[in-house]
Amino acid sequence: MDTEVQDGAEALSEGCSLAEEPPAQWSVPEVCAWLDARCGDGDLVQLAAEHGVSGRALLRMTEGTLRRMGVAPRSRRRELLRELLGLRLQQELEELLSIAGGEHPP
C-alpha cells in the first residue's frame, strides 16, 4: 500500500475522525482511509491513490468517472455510488445546519 494511503488509514484507525473537516477538504490519504473503512477494498483504495482523488473529486464522482478509473464490475461502482450519496447528504446537512446556526447531529 502507498505510504500516504497507509498514513491516512492509520490516522483513521487511531480514532482521527474525518468528520472533523468537510469531505470536500479531505486529502488523498483521507479519501483512501474513508474508502478503506467503507468498502474495505484495497484495489479501490489503490486506484484512488493512483488517480490522486481528493475529497472534492470524490464527491463529484459519477458512474462514468468510476468506469474510466477502472472500477469494475458495475455492482461495485453502484455500491460505491451509494456510499458517496450518503457522504454528500451528510455534508449537505452539516452545511445547512451551519448556515442555520444549529448544532451538528450526533
Side-chain angles (χ1 to χ4, degrees):
M1 187 184 304
D2 184 282
T3 305
E4 280 188 0
V5 174
Q6 199 169 26
D7 292 345
E10 288 172 8
L12 182 65
S13 66
E14 292 172 5
C16 174
S17 173
L18 294 177
E20 291 176 10
E21 63 183 51
Q25 295 179 5
W26 289 351
S27 64
V28 173
E30 289 170 318
V31 166
C32 292
W34 182 84
L35 287 169
D36 188 47
R38 288 297 206 186
C39 304
D41 185 339
D43 292 340
L44 189 56
V45 171
Q46 192 62 38
L47 278 173
E50 287 172 11
H51 288 274
V53 177
S54 65
R56 187 178 187 105
L58 180 71
L59 292 172
R60 293 179 175 180
M61 294 245 166
T62 64
E63 185 161 0
T65 307
L66 294 171
R67 190 177 337 105
R68 286 188 298 277
M69 283 178 61
V71 179
R74 185 173 188 254
S75 60
R76 189 171 168 209
R77 291 192 301 267
R78 302 301 283 175
E79 178 185 338
L80 179 55
L81 289 171
R82 277 191 295 275
E83 291 290 339
L84 290 174
L85 178 60
L87 187 62
R88 288 182 196 117
L89 290 171
Q90 175 187 345
Q91 179 170 308
E92 289 292 322
L93 178 59
E94 289 175 3
E95 287 175 9
L96 288 170
L97 287 170
S98 174
I99 291 168
E103 295 182 17
H104 293 283

